[in-house]
Amino acid sequence: MMAWLAQHARSFGATFARLARAPLGAALNILVIGIALSLPVGLYVVIANLQASSHQLAAEPQVSAFMALDASRAEVAQIEARLKQNPLVQRFRFVPREQALQELKQASGLADVVDSLPQNPLPDAFVVNARDSTPQALEALRDEIRQWPRVAHVQLDAAWARRLDAALRLGRLAVALLGALLALALVAVTFNTIRLQVLTQRDEIEVIKLIGATDAFIRRPFLYFGALQGCGGGIVAWLIVSGGVYLLNHNLGELSHVYATLIQLKHLSLGDSLSLLAFPAALGWFGAWLSVGRHLALIEPGAGK
Amino acid sequence: MISLSHVSKRYPGGRQALHDVGFTIESGELAFITGHSGAGKTTLLKLLVAIERPTSGSVIVSGQNVGALKPRAVPFLRRKFGLVFQDHKLLFDRNVFNNVALPLQIAGYRAKDAARRVRAALDKVGLLAYEKALPITLSGGEQQRLCIARAIVHRPAILLADEPTGNLDAEYAAEIGELFRSFNQVGVTVVIATHDPALLAQLAPRVITLRHGKLAAA
């Protein structure tokens, strides 16, 4: 067991030595892989952020009913009574027009504008949660409330969020496709790198085969090389995406100053970051495995003599 | 230790390299395989370490039928041998020490044990002072001795050499001959394919002679 570990450690060391011997070539390969990987990963980050916010909004679809501006207290109370009795309604919240104005002031940072208004432009409103949140049920509820007296406007709040959600699902599919294609490219790049290595080390491989090296022993440093190169590409991609998120957040910071709200992109989670290292490493390993298996069979000592 | 019976080898393309060859080399023997160029000496050595397979007949090495070995078993057969090549087959990208350590790394020795054995082998061939040197800086005779150190470092039961003195002048060749004799004296079976008459005279071994792929004398 110890010997086995020591042998692996030695192969690993030999792999590093090989990387160090041709640092420029290896660095360029890693850079290419990293840049290629950063495309789908960057897209993934953007979409994950958008999706997180759209989920928040779409999770609890609500129907907003706005009263006419000149509706009286009694008329509002009547609507409230109707909502209480309606079997489609789970619960509802009444937002008086004064409170709505306060919320607008605080949330939007438009306090100056709001203060300068001669009168409150906002109506009383009800925010209604439906018992059944399917689009059909929500639309039925909307259509019903719309016919009640003194209700000026009814709006399905979740509709746009749902549309965004659907669009984002499409985006995710695109990311998956792009990711799959670039994974294929990573395997191909590794395959070719390892092919060249095997061919340039043909003599060495022949000799160690003669001395009694098993195929596993010969294959090992190449597999490590493939995995390391993939992992290195993952690290580069992570750095690129991190840099991108940092830059965007920096600029978003100014933007949110202007709008007085906090807009921040979330970075890759720890799990995502680890997959970004592990997944390319596995692909590199796989590409190297394919390549060595294919080219090692062609090298037999003495066969050409 | 080594036993061939009715061994024939025909290469693809039709050249008949060996024809109905049979002999036995006992454990601890020192044997030469001689013959003119193209008599089949090298082919015979290749059959012993499963680089080539016999077309017919059987090659038995310490009880194993080499011709019928599965590819996965071949590396372990080869570890029983120490191989000395005419062209040395050294690895020029690593130093003397690491060249000799290679068979031990392959066999999975621990670094400490390996280092001890490598130094012992280098000492044996008189290259201990050169352990950090690159093989390219060594002379032809030193390279051959390095090749021998690599061949004996894992203490194989059989030492196989193909024209070990082929490229060397007489003085170096005699040193190499003495090395082979000393290994044989500690019980290693030594098989040398050569047509060097000086080496033959020096070691006075058992001689197996091939002529046009057939056994002429054993």
Side-chain angles (χ1 to χ4, degrees), chain A residues 2 11 14 52 58 67 74 157 160 172 210 247 282 284 291 294 297:
Chain A
M2 279 307 294
S11 301
M67 301 301 294
D157 287 342
W160 70 271
R172 276 185 98 95
L210 272 177
L247 275 179
S291 187
R294 170 140 176 64

Side-chain angles (χ1 to χ4, degrees), chain A residues 7 204 209-210 212 301, chain B residues 51 78-79 94 102 105-106:
Chain A
Q7 218 172 14
E204 178 177 341
K209 262 195 173 183
L210 272 177
Chain B
I51 294 172
R78 288 181 183 157
R79 291 179 195 178
R94 58 194 78 187
L102 201 56
Q105 287 171 1
I106 287 169

Side-chain angles (χ1 to χ4, degrees), chain A residues 2-4 6-7 10 21 203-215 217 300-305, chain B residues 46 49 51-52 75-76 78-79 83 85 89 91 93-94 102-111 150 162:
Chain A
M2 279 307 294
W4 183 83
Q7 218 172 14
R10 194 151 36 207
R21 235 178 289 155
D203 292 342
E204 178 177 341
I205 291 170
E206 249 185 62
V207 170
I208 65 174
K209 262 195 173 183
L210 272 177
I211 296 175
T214 56
D215 281 356
F217 179 89
E300 265 306 318
K305 226 177 180 179
Chain B
K46 283 182 178 174
V49 294
I51 294 172
E52 297 288 352
F76 301 97
R78 288 181 183 157
R79 291 179 195 178
L83 297 179
F85 309 96
K89 293 199 191 298
L91 299 181
D93 63 343
R94 58 194 78 187
L102 201 56
L104 301 179
Q105 287 171 1
I106 287 169
Y109 278 78
R110 279 204 291 205
R150 186 181 65 187
D162 188 11

Side-chain angles (χ1 to χ4, degrees), chain B residues 55-157:
Chain B
T55 315
S56 64
S58 68
V59 177
I60 311 286
V61 173
S62 58
Q64 275 183 306
N65 186 349
V66 176
L69 273 187
K70 291 201 176 84
R72 276 194 308 143
V74 167
F76 301 97
L77 168 81
R78 288 181 183 157
R79 291 179 195 178
K80 293 183 179 154
F81 290 96
L83 297 179
V84 179
F85 309 96
Q86 183 176 7
D87 58 355
H88 320 318
K89 293 199 191 298
L90 299 170
L91 299 181
F92 289 103
D93 63 343
R94 58 194 78 187
N95 65 24
V96 165
F97 182 93
N98 285 325
N99 264 281
V100 178
L102 201 56
L104 301 179
Q105 287 171 1
I106 287 169
Y109 278 78
R110 279 204 291 205
K112 219 171 109 187
D113 299 341
R116 198 163 38 75
R117 287 196 176 207
V118 168
R119 299 221 164 83
L122 283 174
D123 190 30
K124 181 87 190 157
V125 301
L127 289 176
L128 194 51
Y130 296 93
E131 72 174 59
K132 296 228 162 53
L134 286 174
I136 199 77
T137 63
L138 301 181
S139 73
E142 286 165 342
Q143 288 190 12
Q144 188 58 285
R145 281 186 284 156
L146 178 54
C147 180
I148 290 171
R150 186 181 65 187
I152 53 118
V153 71
H154 59 299
R155 296 184 195 153

Side-chain angles (χ1 to χ4, degrees), chain A residues 16 70 84 87 90 109 150 152 210-211 215 229 245 284 286 305:
Chain A
F16 260 113
D70 55 350
K84 267 182 188 152
Q90 190 189 32
R150 304 302 288 162
L210 272 177
I211 296 175
D215 281 356
Q229 191 175 268
V245 167
F286 178 64
K305 226 177 180 179

Side-chain angles (χ1 to χ4, degrees), chain B residues 188-205:
Chain B
V188 177
T189 309
V190 179
V191 180
I192 302 173
T194 185
H195 54 226
D196 180 352
L199 198 61
L200 199 72
Q202 183 188 356
L203 296 181

